[in-house]
Amino acid sequence: MFSQNKGLAKLLSVFMLVVIGTVNCLYEDQIKKFDWRTTQIGRLDQAYVELNGFQPRLLVSTKENVIASLCPKSGEVLWRQVFETGPRGSIKLMQLSSASSGADATAAARPGSAHGFDLLTVQGHAPALIRGWNANTGNLEWEWSLMPLQTEKALSSMWFYQNAMIYHVLPVWKSHLEVTPYFATSGQATGNTAKITAPWISEEKCILAGTYFTCIEGSQLISLDLTANQPQVISKALGETPVKPIRAMEGINGVIVVDDKLVGVKDDIPVCNALRGNSFTLGRFNNQNVIVTANVKDKYLNIDGYISESCQQITELTNSMPYPDHYGSPVIKSFDCKMNRNNDGKGCLFITDTSDDSILAVQQSKSRWTRSEALANIIATEFIDLPLADSEGELEKEMKGKAADIVSAFIHRISSQVLHFKSLLLHVIGLGSKPSATQKAGLVRDAFGLHKMLVILTKSGKVFGIDNMSGKQHWQLYLDNVEEFSNGEQMRLLIQRTSKHFPLHALCMVVAKDKTTGNGVLYRFNPITGQPAEGGLLQLNYQIKQLSMLPETDTDFVKGILIMDSNNKVQVYPEHAKSKANGLYMYTANKATGSLNGFYVKYENSQLTTLPLWSVDLSGHNGDHQIISVASKNPIETVHSQGRVMPDRSVLYKYINPNLVAVFTQASDSIHKYLLNVYLIDVVSGSVVFSMMHRKVRPPLHVVHSENWLAYAHYNDKVRRTEITTIELYEGKTQANSTVWSSLRAPPMPLVERQTYIIPTLVTSMRETITERGITSKDVLIGTASGSIVELPWALLDPRRPISSSSNGREEGAMPYIPELPLPTENMINYNQTISRLNYIYTAPSGLESTCLVVAAGLDMFVTRISPSKTYDLLKEDFDYILISIVLVVLTTGSLVAKHLASRKSLKQAWK
């Protein structure tokens, strides 16, 4: 027994020593020195601004299921509450007490209480959570829930507040409406559910406008007053069928917007029929109800106010300011005016939502502040090298020049030095040429390649150029009328040319789908300045099925884009790079049918054609298997080590197949409930290299595919925990081909090592670190549901970790197998900078081999850099240069003195 305890103690000590050696700590003075974070709330849905209370506030709800309080002066987030994603956390209603109607100050009070609510929200549908919040602190004060009998029908439920009551409206499309009133704070029903027959209602044509349920039927408006004792059908002729979808105007009961004009559902509801605009909102100015409109004309944002009763324009509320194109179209959400003696409108603040997912605050015809909420939905990022400094650029241009002989080259070099000295002298006295725009902005490449331009593509079509060191937004552009592809694939951001080819500028491309036609859209731009390049926007006349970057560049160092359309025809942009596509292999994956198809691209007679090569059906014998994920390797990845040294000094060579793709399929099973299949497929030959099945395993699934290994996180439904499975592929003790890999020569089947680990958290994203030469050790970055990013060394995920302590794996340096992975807080690279809803991690190499650049995004964004093997190629900041200089001087002097004494000694010995 004592020997077993002693052996266990040794095993634990070895494990602790290995783990301690891989810990990367963060000192207190390094916090926010190499990283920064942005806090987002998402696209605006509802907004209420109040400037005259004890504490001015701006309360908002967003389409990302967030409620928050913003500072009206700066737009800073004072507090926020992030709800669940999807329908479970969707905000059905947000009601502010001061926005209640008339004498309703204590309308929502509990029975026997004299206090009403401050902020009320309705969230979700099964169950629906009705909550009261403290609007100043964001604390939850009370809550009650409602569980519907039929959860599927409750998904389309609606809510509205009126006179101390909160009404639950459940539409049963093409049939009837079910309306149930409740006391707002207690949840006590006031009566039975009223069922109103309405066979004309449909989800696409109906909205809730205050207390009226309104639908459009041809050129007629059909409404029902849901608060009436006996609701009657109210019909109103519009004259012509609306072109745009109808929407409700908040603040006025029974008023909707039809084709940019206000229409009341009944004739006795006063509206300003003469007003025209893209957006309207209601507020108060000088104790009067005021309708405010916001429109863009001639690149100017025009805000106008009108008295709701008389429709008379209020000149004090008129604002006009330059409106950049990258904001898209505006929608006015709320406004309020600070009461002063003059009431001249200068204290009015207008809150505007834009189609690019920005929040714009306007005051006195100026932009008070702006929040770029498109960053809450990041779908692609790229790090771009910055251009050289002006002097370095001239030197680069000179070195690229070709001289006729040595003498002319020497004369050219001397003249260049004279010109550089003259330029330096003129710059010192203030008469030199002005620096370029990029150099003024500090966008200059540094010695270690750590300073880069971070280009970010968001779901709304907004593109940002951000300094990765400071987080400053240098430029932004907006692609209107674009969206993700039909199969759910996101828009793509591609680098066609980097900044390393001076004097040519870098070139990036966004590939998307047109919302109107469904065809492809290409937009090329300079990632350093954000300006369009090479023609800018290009509308394609076909739908995009697959795309790929050409491996070779032309004389202008631009990598072409190979695009396959829905008819399997291919095109190349730019067109002069067609010849570079000859001999390229492509594949397509159909998620619904579970099939993969491989193609060969051939260039002949100035035309590109595709030849079908192979087809793989992964749908199963019942045809119910669907592809849920396809993971390929990073195309810029460099493999430094070709093998793994064994204890007997032999080498176990890695199976490094650049054409290997991991395909995951999901199916339901009557016995095992869920089936997850893993396939490793060579997409050039179509051969299945390896396959494996997991029973009672289901998504969420997150995959990392790199070098010769694969790691994927999944949920084990049997034991109800998250697990990470790792697979390593080896060729064996002999290497099939040490020069160029070929999938057409039938390489031998690999040796497969696999293992599963338990991770004590819910995984939301995974990514491997990458460096320029691949020398640095690989780590896996794991994003957790709590918003942390854990950096795990590959040694902890290695499938060759021996289960037995006497295994030979220990001699290879592998740690003994332990089922549960440790998650030490020291390995959380974002320490206390929590990233809400973390779902995206991107890594890129820097100029230093030891350093990897990281972008993590969800609702928030976090940018940092990490060193998996520590900064072995960089001196520390506290390096003692004085001491090392003194040591070098002493050693050099000592060696010279010793040399002199030794020569004298040898001379004396020679004369003896």
Side-chain angles (χ1 to χ4, degrees):
M1 186 67 181
F2 177 75
S3 61
Q4 290 181 357
N5 292 337
K6 187 176 181 180
L8 182 60
K10 289 183 178 179
L11 185 64
L12 290 175
S13 62
V14 171
F15 177 75
M16 291 301 296
L17 286 174
V18 175
V19 172
I20 290 173
T22 58
V23 166
N24 296 320
C25 296
L26 183 72
Y27 294 99
E28 186 176 0
D29 60 346
Q30 292 179 323
I31 293 177
K32 294 186 179 181
K33 186 174 183 180
F34 306 116
D35 58 77
W36 50 270
R37 184 185 71 152
T38 63
T39 303
Q40 311 295 143
I41 58 175
R43 184 177 182 181
L44 198 61
D45 186 19
Q46 290 179 282
Y48 297 101
V49 58
E50 288 187 347
L51 303 179
N52 298 307
F54 173 74
Q55 180 180 353
R57 58 188 181 181
L58 170 60
L59 299 174
V60 299
S61 67
T62 68
K63 296 184 179 180
E64 272 67 45
N65 303 345
V66 177
I67 61 171
S69 175
L70 307 181
C71 177
K73 294 182 179 179
S74 61
E76 180 184 0
V77 178
L78 302 179
W79 60 261
R80 68 173 181 179
Q81 293 288 345
V82 182
F83 301 146
E84 295 88 342
T85 57
R88 182 179 177 85
S90 63
I91 301 173
K92 301 283 188 177
L93 175 68
M94 186 180 78
Q95 182 70 39
L96 194 64
S97 61
S98 58
S100 303
S101 59
D104 199 20
T106 60
R110 290 191 179 96
S113 173
H115 301 285
F117 66 86
D118 194 10
L119 178 66
L120 180 143
T121 61
V122 179
Q123 165 203 340
H125 67 284
L129 300 177
I130 296 85
R131 292 167 167 170
W133 306 86
N134 186 323
N136 293 324
T137 62
N139 295 329
L140 180 65
E141 294 185 337
W142 51 263
E143 175 187 59
W144 59 273
S145 62
L146 176 66
M147 190 67 189
L149 298 177
Q150 297 178 345
T151 57
E152 295 180 358
K153 294 181 179 179
L155 184 62
S156 57
S157 61
M158 305 175 184
W159 297 78
F160 68 90
Y161 174 84
Q162 180 74 14
N163 295 333
M165 310 300 296
I166 188 168
Y167 291 80
H168 178 218
V169 182
L170 181 61
V172 180
W173 305 117
K174 304 296 182 181
S175 178
H176 63 277
L177 291 169
E178 299 178 5
V179 183
T180 309
Y182 299 91
F183 284 109
T185 57
S186 65
Q188 181 181 358
T190 61
N192 297 326
T193 300
K195 292 187 177 181
I196 306 172
T197 303
W200 63 85
I201 62 175
S202 62
E203 189 173 1
E204 300 82 13
K205 299 180 181 180
C206 297
I207 61 170
L208 189 63
T211 63
Y212 292 89
F213 191 85
T214 305
C215 299
I216 192 77
E217 277 290 329
S219 60
Q220 280 192 336
L221 205 62
I222 302 177
S223 305
L224 290 168
D225 187 357
L226 302 180
T227 59
N229 294 329
Q230 294 182 350
Q232 300 293 327
V233 176
I234 304 170
S235 179
K236 185 174 183 178
L238 297 176
E240 56 184 13
T241 304
V243 178
K244 299 179 181 179
I246 60 174
R247 63 182 189 271
M249 179 183 173
E250 296 184 8
I252 303 181
N253 188 23
V255 176
I256 62 174
V257 182
V258 181
D259 287 344
D260 298 339
K261 63 180 180 180
L262 299 178
V263 176
V265 298
K266 295 195 301 183
D267 294 334
D268 57 350
I269 298 178
V271 292
C272 297
N273 296 322
L275 292 183
R276 297 292 183 272
N278 296 325
S279 63
F280 302 88
T281 191
L282 182 73
R284 292 187 66 81
F285 178 73
N286 289 345
N287 299 322
Q288 290 180 315
N289 289 331
V290 175
I291 298 176
V292 173
T293 66
N295 299 284
V296 176
K297 185 178 181 180
D298 299 331
K299 294 186 178 182
Y300 272 80
L301 174 63
N302 300 313
I303 298 176
D304 298 295
Y306 302 87
I307 300 175
S308 61
E309 288 79 9
S310 62
C311 301
Q312 181 181 356
Q313 185 174 1
I314 304 174
T315 57
E316 292 87 346
L317 296 181
T318 300
N319 284 261
S320 181
M321 58 168 283
Y323 191 75
D325 294 333
H326 60 72
Y327 283 139
S329 57
V331 176
I332 189 77
K333 287 292 184 179
S334 179
F335 87 97
D336 194 20
C337 299
K338 193 171 184 179
M339 297 179 63
N340 52 35
R341 294 181 179 178
N342 299 326
N343 289 335
D344 52 4
K346 294 183 178 180
C348 296
L349 183 67
F350 301 88
I351 305 300
T352 304
D353 177 37
T354 60
S355 59
D356 74 317
D357 293 358
S358 295
I359 303 176
L360 179 64
V362 178
Q363 188 174 25
Q364 297 184 26
S365 298
K366 295 181 181 178
S367 175
R368 183 74 181 263
W369 49 264
T370 305
R371 291 188 60 88
S372 299
E373 293 303 329
L375 293 173
N377 291 290
I378 296 175
I379 59 176
T381 56
E382 291 288 349
F383 284 97
I384 309 294
D385 289 321
L386 294 175
L388 297 170
D390 295 344
S391 58
E392 293 176 348
E394 292 296 329
L395 183 61
E396 183 78 12
K397 186 186 298 184
E398 176 191 337
M399 297 301 292
K400 285 186 176 182
K402 296 182 179 179
D405 52 12
I406 297 177
V407 176
S408 59
F410 177 74
I411 295 173
H412 181 69
R413 180 60 181 159
I414 295 299
S415 60
S416 297
Q417 288 295 114
V418 173
L419 290 176
H420 288 171
F421 179 76
K422 178 182 176 182
S423 176
L424 177 62
L425 183 62
L426 292 176
H427 181 72
V428 170
I429 63 178
L431 299 177
S433 58
K434 296 182 179 180
S436 60
T438 56
Q439 192 156 358
K440 283 182 180 179
L443 299 178
V444 178
R445 192 184 309 173
D446 62 331
F448 298 126
L450 299 173
H451 192 192
K452 295 178 182 285
M453 176 67 76
L454 176 58
V455 181
I456 295 177
L457 174 64
T458 63
K459 191 174 182 180
S460 64
K462 190 74 174 286
V463 189
F464 295 87
I466 302 177
D467 192 320
N468 76 314
M469 301 288 281
S470 63
K472 179 182 177 182
Q473 296 181 11
H474 288 282
W475 57 264
Q476 48 187 299
L477 59 90
Y478 176 55
L479 303 180
D480 194 11
N481 203 37
V482 298
E483 62 181 359
E484 63 183 15
F485 296 98
S486 302
N487 58 354
E489 290 291 324
Q490 300 290 350
M491 296 180 283
R492 299 297 177 87
L493 176 63
L494 305 174
I495 302 177
Q496 289 191 277
R497 182 173 59 207
T498 65
S499 300
K500 297 180 179 180
H501 307 288
F502 185 85
L504 299 175
H505 59 77
L507 186 63
C508 281
M509 174 186 286
V510 173
V511 185
K513 187 187 81 170
D514 190 276
K515 289 182 180 179
T516 306
T517 63
N519 295 331
V521 175
L522 306 180
Y523 184 80
R524 298 204 283 182
F525 62 96
N526 184 342
I528 306 301
T529 62
Q531 298 298 319
E534 305 291 337
L537 185 66
L538 177 62
Q539 295 279 356
L540 305 180
N541 56 1
Y542 54 84
Q543 297 181 359
I544 297 178
K545 182 179 181 180
Q546 181 64 287
L547 61 92
S548 176
M549 292 276 291
L550 298 182
E552 299 180 3
T553 62
D554 212 334
T555 55
D556 56 356
F557 303 102
V558 173
K559 284 188 176 182
I561 306 295
L562 181 65
I563 300 178
M564 177 183 291
D565 62 12
S566 56
N567 297 322
N568 294 337
K569 295 182 180 180
V570 291
Q571 299 287 341
V572 173
Y573 293 93
E575 293 187 0
H576 61 77
K578 279 187 177 181
S579 59
K580 302 294 182 182
N582 185 40
L584 189 68
Y585 292 86
M586 296 184 68
Y587 77 96
T588 61
N590 191 319
K591 292 184 177 181
T593 61
S595 62
L596 281 82
N597 296 278
F599 301 90
Y600 176 75
V601 181
K602 187 176 181 181
Y603 178 74
E604 191 176 24
N605 298 327
S606 301
Q607 295 293 328
L608 285 173
T609 57
T610 57
L611 177 66
L613 288 183
W614 54 266
S615 178
V616 176
D617 186 9
L618 304 178
S619 60
H621 62 279
N622 291 329
D624 57 346
H625 290 248
Q626 293 184 347
I627 297 176
I628 60 174
S629 181
V630 178
S632 58
K633 298 180 182 180
N634 195 328
I636 65 173
E637 182 181 56
T638 302
V639 181
H640 180 262
S641 177
Q642 297 291 325
R644 183 169 184 167
V645 180
M646 305 300 289
D648 58 356
R649 295 184 179 274
S650 63
V651 177
L652 185 61
Y653 288 99
K654 299 177 181 178
Y655 183 84
I656 304 174
N657 185 351
N659 307 316
L660 200 64
V661 171
V663 182
F664 297 81
T665 63
Q666 177 77 35
S668 300
D669 184 78
S670 58
I671 300 176
H672 304 292
K673 294 179 66 177
Y674 304 102
L675 295 178
L676 179 67
N677 295 290
V678 185
Y679 301 93
L680 296 180
I681 300 177
D682 190 313
V683 293
V684 170
S685 62
S687 61
V688 179
V689 175
F690 174 76
S691 64
M692 184 171 60
M693 176 186 290
H694 296 275
R695 295 177 176 86
K696 295 185 179 180
V697 166
R698 60 181 175 87
L701 180 74
H702 304 281
V703 189
V704 171
H705 193 189
S706 175
E707 291 192 4
N708 68 317
W709 54 268
L710 178 75
Y712 53 96
H714 51 81
Y715 184 77
N716 191 324
D717 197 65
K718 180 179 180 180
V719 291
R720 297 182 180 180
R721 68 190 181 198
T722 302
E723 298 176 346
I724 295 181
T725 300
T726 57
I727 299 174
E728 258 189 328
L729 307 177
Y730 292 95
E731 290 189 36
K733 296 296 184 69
T734 58
Q735 197 171 14
N737 193 336
S738 59
T739 56
V740 179
W741 178 273
S742 176
S743 297
L744 303 178
R745 295 181 183 177
M749 299 302 288
L751 306 174
V752 180
E753 299 281 352
R754 49 187 169 176
Q755 193 59 268
T756 298
Y757 298 92
I758 304 168
I759 183 165
T761 185
L762 183 63
V763 177
T764 58
S765 58
M766 292 177 65
R767 190 81 178 197
E768 83 280 11
T769 59
I770 184 172
T771 54
E772 194 169 6
R773 301 295 180 183
I775 301 173
T776 307
S777 301
K778 286 277 187 180
D779 285 358
V780 177
L781 302 179
I782 299 177
T784 67
S786 61
S788 301
I789 309 172
V790 182
E791 183 181 1
L792 283 184
W794 176 248
L796 293 176
L797 298 168
D798 192 351
R800 289 181 59 83
R801 290 177 60 179
I803 297 177
S804 174
S805 60
S806 60
S807 174
N808 292 333
R810 290 186 60 188
E811 300 179 15
E812 301 176 31
M815 291 179 288
Y817 174 75
I818 297 178
E820 191 170 82
L821 292 171
L823 297 180
T825 55
E826 295 85 356
N827 281 28
M828 295 181 181
I829 64 175
N830 60 330
Y831 46 103
N832 65 346
Q833 303 293 313
T834 303
I835 307 168
S836 183
R837 291 186 188 159
L838 174 60
N839 58 14
Y840 176 84
I841 299 177
Y842 175 77
T843 57
S846 67
L848 284 175
E849 171 58 29
S850 65
T851 306
C852 174
L853 304 178
V854 181
V855 177
L859 189 61
D860 305 328
M861 181 175 65
F862 180 76
V863 179
T864 187
R865 64 185 192 226
I866 59 175
S867 301
S869 300
K870 299 184 179 180
T871 52
Y872 57 85
D873 53 357
L874 188 66
L875 293 177
K876 296 182 179 180
E877 292 184 356
D878 57 351
F879 184 79
D880 198 338
Y881 293 94
I882 298 177
L883 179 61
I884 196 66
S885 301
I886 294 174
V887 171
L888 289 176
V889 170
V890 171
L891 290 177
T892 304
T893 305
S895 62
L896 293 176
V897 172
K899 180 180 179 181
H900 177 68
L901 295 177
S903 62
R904 287 185 62 183
K905 182 178 180 181
S906 62
L907 181 61
K908 288 181 180 180
Q909 290 179 350
W911 281 99
K912 288 183 180 179

